[in-house]
Structure formats: C-alpha cells, structure tokens
Amino acid sequence: VSERVPFFDPARSYAALRSELRATFDEVMTSGRIMLGPNVRAFERELAEAVGARHAVGVASGTDAIEVALRALELPPGSEVACPNLSPPATATAILRAGHRPVLVDVDEENLSLDPEQAAEAGAAAILAVHLYGRPAAVEALAGLDAVLVEDGAQAHGLEPPGGRIGAHAAVACYSFYPTKNVGAFGDAGAVTTDDPELAARARSLRVYGEEERHRAARIGLNSRLDELQAAFLRVRLERLAPDNARRAEIAALYDDALGRASPPGVHHAYVVRSPERDGLRAFLLDEGIETAIHYPWALSEQAAFADARRVGALAVSERATREVVSLPCNPYVRDDEVSRVAEALRAAAGRFGVR
Ligand SMILES: Cc1ncc(COP(=O)(O)O)c(C=O)c1O
C-alpha cells in the first residue's frame, strides 16, 4: 500500500526550511525581545512592501484582523456589513465581534465569490469581499457601490486582482497566516494593511488594549499582538511567496490537464472542483490514498451562530456549492510523485463522478 497523499502537512514546510527556521528561533529566543519586537516591525514592513500597501499591522489571527479592521473604520455601531455566504465562519464572527451585523449575500456561479449585483441589493454600509480559494473577487465592481469596501486576502497572498493589488480599491485589507495559507505561520497570525496612516494607528492601538501610550487606553481594544516568533517565521515564509505560488500554479495546471478543464485565475490557495456526487468522489480518492477537504461544508446561512443575520435573496448558489465542492492537495510541499498520483486518480474519477 502506498503512503497517503496528505492534504496538508506542516512538518513538510518545517523540513524544507529547517535550518533557517532554527536559526530564526535561536535569534529571537536569545535576543530577549519576544513581544512586539524587531521581527514584528520588520515583517510589517516587508508585508506592506509585498502587498503594495503603505502600512501593515500584525495581529494574532485572521479573524482578529477582520475585527480590528472593521473597528478601526469606526462605522456606527450595529452597521450592516455584507459578506459572501460561502465563507468560513470567521467572516461573520468577526463582523459580529466588531459590533456590526452581517448581511449574507450569494456568490456568483462562476467564481464562487461575492455577487456584485446582489451585494448592491444588500444596501449595507460596508462590504467584506473575500478572495476565496485565491481567486479574485469582483472588487472593481464592488468598489463602485456606495459602501465601504474591506478586502479579505486570507486565501490570496500574492494575488493581483484585475485593476490592482489587494487593497487598491478598499479602505483596508485583512490577512490570515494560518499554517495552510499561502504565507503560513507555525501557529496563528494575521495582519491588517491600509494606505491610511490614521486607520493604521487605530489598528495598532486596538491590538494592544486600545492603548495609545503605554498603559493608557484611548479606546476599548483587544489583546491581539502578533507573536514575535511567528513574525520571525513569517519573514522566512514571505520570502518564498513567489516560488511557492509558482509551484501551486504548476500543480493546478497538472490537475487541470487531467480533468480537461481550466481553473479560474488566481494564486491557487485551494484547488477546488465540484461534483454532484461529492461523497462518492471523496471516498474514491481516499481509496486511492488521497486526502481531500471541504471548503466549506456549510454556508453561513446554515449555521446556528448566524441564524439572525439578514439574507439577500435565496442564497441558492452558495448553499448548493457547499454540497458539491471538494479541495484537492495543492501546496508547495506536495511532491511530484504525489501530484502524478492525484492527477491519475482525477482522470479515472472525472467522468464517473461528473467532476468539473
Ligand atoms: C477567508 C478567510 N477569512 C478569515 C479567516 C480566519 O483566519 P484565522 O483562522 O487566522 O483566524 C480565514 C482562515 O481561517 C479565511 O480563510
């Protein structure tokens, strides 16, 4: 029996970057500067440069990044924030935690990202656009609406959506560095990016108890510091973003070839196919030793935590997608022999399970 092809194995990225990460660990631990130290500041500078923003503020997770971004915008309490119904629970949770109200909007059939026409219909004060699976959300159309635009690039590090970089059309953008992300930490981490120096200053204050000077809170904040060690690790990972994304694209092209399809453009955070017989497809692949995942098994409209959220329309596209989507192993550390095994299994499965 051959080994399983893991969906994601963080030990592989450690093995690949071991000497650099160990040196980094030693440097931080011996420096005595382990909280909001030089690596957090350097990572913020390097991230800002990499995404073409003037400011980056490191926080403890992607969920916190959304909460901090929304709170730094200082919208009136209880404002409505439109978000895609096909998104992780973090999206609606962060909106609620920021003191606002999520409005669930359907996604477009083609790209599975926020449908601009229905977002317009929502009439919310703000819109949280998610670049799901590393595919560009329709930010140009969304930016034309009468609402504050926030972009979630958690799955899209290195993406250049049409019309400019992530955040080009938005007041603020958010990132997660959860280990599976294109820039992944070895634990939790996140960041907010913006061109607005005052918004950046509010975000910096919000991440440490609302302090503006030490031990003096100007507003009610969080404790959401970016960990110094994770920041140091992230500097190592960020340097590799371009080759890592190139490897993801290479893997996606091989899967595309096996399935005779063309993936939507993007940075291939997830390689997602659809099948009307998703459970059968997953069981077949597992039998071939291939692990898969589902992003996401439930739409936000199907979750108890968001039962009170206002909905726009029937949300049929997103709810159907949750029954059909399946994500295949696609990260820089999937080996060539494993990519070939997945591609071969996809060739065998394509017709049988109506994969598209
Ligand atoms: C699109 C999106 N937004 C937000 C989050 C939340 O990030 P975190 O898990 O770092 O809190 C995630 C990832 O989990 C995500 O994929």
Side-chain angles (χ1 to χ4, degrees):
V1 203
S2 45
E3 250 177 275
R4 282 261 181 103
V5 180
F7 182 74
F8 173 74
D9 178 4
R12 290 192 184 188
S13 48
Y14 182 59
L17 305 168
R18 186 177 175 130
S19 59
E20 263 182 281
L21 291 170
R22 284 175 79 108
T24 295
F25 173 82
D26 202 50
E27 180 207 302
V28 173
M29 297 303 275
T30 53
S31 75
R33 296 151 80 191
I34 56 170
M35 299 303 282
L36 293 183
N39 282 288
V40 170
R41 284 193 294 280
F43 176 65
E44 288 175 341
R45 269 197 313 276
E46 289 157 9
L47 177 70
E49 196 186 319
V51 303
R54 291 183 51 198
H55 307 276
V57 180
V59 295
S61 72
T63 311
D64 281 2
I66 302 169
E67 178 180 345
V68 165
L70 288 171
R71 291 180 58 182
L73 281 170
E74 297 191 319
L75 304 168
S79 293
E80 288 194 324
V81 181
C83 68
N85 193 38
L86 181 63
S87 203
T91 304
T93 298
I95 294 170
L96 287 160
R97 289 195 51 119
H100 299 309
R101 289 180 292 156
V103 180
L104 307 180
V105 177
D106 214 350
V107 297
D108 74 277
E109 182 68 44
E110 188 87 344
N111 213 25
L112 298 180
S113 73
L114 199 55
D115 182 294
E117 274 175 34
Q118 296 191 60
E121 228 176 275
I127 295 172
L128 178 52
V130 179
H131 298 286
L132 193 71
Y133 309 147
R135 303 172 184 176
V139 277
E140 281 182 299
L142 294 167
L145 304 178
D146 184 22
V148 177
L149 182 61
V150 178
E151 284 180 65
D152 181 345
Q155 302 190 5
H157 312 110
L159 178 70
E160 286 267 345
R165 60 184 175 78
I166 290 180
H169 300 284
V172 56
C174 313
Y175 292 90
S176 163
F177 306 109
Y178 185 79
T180 55
K181 304 305 191 210
N182 291 33
V183 176
F186 291 83
D188 278 311
V192 165
T193 63
T194 181
D195 289 336
D196 176 346
E198 287 169 14
L199 194 150
R202 288 196 293 276
R204 265 177 221 292
S205 159
L206 284 162
R207 80 171 166 188
V208 273
Y209 324 120
E211 291 179 0
E212 270 184 2
E213 53 188 297
R214 188 136 164 82
H215 301 315
R216 193 164 202 201
R219 54 180 62 77
I220 298 169
L222 296 75
N223 172 3
S224 184
R225 288 178 282 239
L226 170 59
D227 183 80
E228 181 74 7
L229 256 183
Q230 295 302 338
F233 296 152
L234 283 166
R235 295 180 67 196
V236 174
R237 293 302 312 269
L238 183 61
E239 262 184 20
R240 294 203 45 82
L241 176 59
D244 281 357
N245 278 352
R247 174 63 177 160
R248 286 175 187 272
E250 192 175 76
I251 295 170
L254 290 165
Y255 294 170
D256 274 357
D257 191 46
L259 290 168
R261 81 199 271 262
S263 285
V267 292
H268 308 285
H269 169 64
Y271 187 91
V272 176
V273 296
R274 297 179 67 163
S275 162
E277 292 176 68
R278 193 249 317 267
D279 293 346
L281 171 63
R282 290 191 83 199
F284 174 84
L285 291 172
L286 195 59
D287 217 42
E288 298 291 319
I290 296 158
E291 293 181 4
T292 57
I294 300 179
H295 301 108
Y296 294 91
W298 295 283
L300 298 179
S301 55
E302 298 171 307
Q303 309 197 24
F306 317 123
D308 293 340
R310 182 160 77 81
R311 294 137 190 249
V312 175
L315 302 174
V317 178
S318 43
E319 290 188 359
R320 191 174 58 251
T322 63
R323 316 278 177 266
E324 295 185 351
V325 288
V326 52
S327 306
L328 300 163
C330 182
N331 65 71
Y333 301 105
V334 187
R335 299 189 311 254
D336 285 343
D337 61 302
E338 295 174 326
V339 174
S340 302
R341 276 175 62 195
V342 177
E344 200 182 314
L346 289 175
R347 254 180 249 279
R352 191 165 149 199
F353 298 100
V355 181
R356 62 185 171 99

